[in-house]
Amino acid sequence: MARISYVDGQFLPSHLAQVAMQDRGYQFADGVYEVAAFMNARLLDEARHLDRLERSLAALAIPMPMTRRALTLKLYELMRRSHQRDGLLYLQITRGAAPRNHLWPQGMRPVLTMSVFPPKFPGAALRAKGCAVITAADERWARCDIKSISLLPNVLARKKSATPELRETWLVNETGVITEGSSTNAFLVTTQGKIITHPADHHILGGVTRDVVLELARSHQIPVEERGFTPRELAEAAEAFLTSTSNFVLPVVVVDGNKVGDGTPGTVTRRLMALYDHHIEQETYENSA
Ligand code: PDD
């Protein structure tokens, strides 16, 4: 069987098929796919697969890479070139390639890739006998603690704050608490000077910066409480800040258009910034040989 693929305009042997490392499919899982069966060189439920594909693309604001008619012709050409009459056709469309940034630039060109796999339809014996399954917790989208490249929800959240005066989107979960930002951890400081941030459980990505900042706070007798906080508590907080590898400790002075505290970086935040800056110096300068 000829293993043939299609990558962004070209048919080529599968072992030569490559995609760009900067492709957002690779970086952010920022794309959609379809798997359709073909038998006797005909796509099964072709219209339904293409309908779903168009629906998924529209939901992510990714344009079709070509007209539906042109895409259908490519699908059939791939099947023909595969010399298979039965099999599975895999098709993926990503937002395209661009320098890595959660925010995608305007006018991106979507990238279409396709390949064909031998059929793995159940045989007569299995169909006659039936199969076994197990159950497990549905953890899809629920493992934010894993630093997965599956960042599409983060990307879509960040898109909501895509104006120059905004830097991040903080996420409120179904129980009404702020978990973290799209690519940062979220903190508030109460009027009593206590730092509050969501615990590092499955609901957030436990930031390295977050860890260091909490350690620094504790070792300098700044009280810390690890629990989720609500937007309402944030409205009443004295200070807020975010942390990440690329932001260090950054004061947050406006949330949803309202000032946090007096709208300037607070004392506890500034203290943590200084402590973290010192940590950077120690780690990267003082310890360098
Ligand atoms: N983001 N939460 C999320 C969802 C993140 O993606 C990140 C990091 C953080 C902060 O973690 P750390 O302090 O280890 O950087 C929290 C990186 C910077 C990114 O995706 O670009």
Side-chain angles (χ1 to χ4, degrees), residues 30 55 57 66 74-75 95 97 104 140 193 217 236 288:
D30 191 359
R55 224 167 34 237
L57 286 171
M66 58 188 73
K74 296 273 187 236
L75 295 175
R95 199 179 298 278
W104 67 86
R140 293 175 298 169
E236 288 158 11
S288 57

Side-chain angles (χ1 to χ4, degrees), residues 28 100 102 144 147-148 151 154 168 171 180-186 204-211 243-248 276:
F28 293 109
R100 186 181 183 279
H102 283 61
C144 305
K147 201 162 170 64
S148 150
L151 285 170
N154 306 52
E168 176 60 303
L171 304 166
E180 61 176 335
S182 75
S183 66
T184 61
N185 290 117
I204 70 161
L205 192 269
V208 169
T209 323
R210 172 190 180 280
D211 266 3
T243 66
S244 79
T245 296
S246 49
N247 284 289
F248 312 134
Y276 194 77

Side-chain angles (χ1 to χ4, degrees), residues 204-220:
I204 70 161
L205 192 269
V208 169
T209 323
R210 172 190 180 280
D211 266 3
V212 173
V213 164
L214 292 185
E215 241 175 70
L216 288 171
R218 289 186 172 118
S219 64
H220 289 80

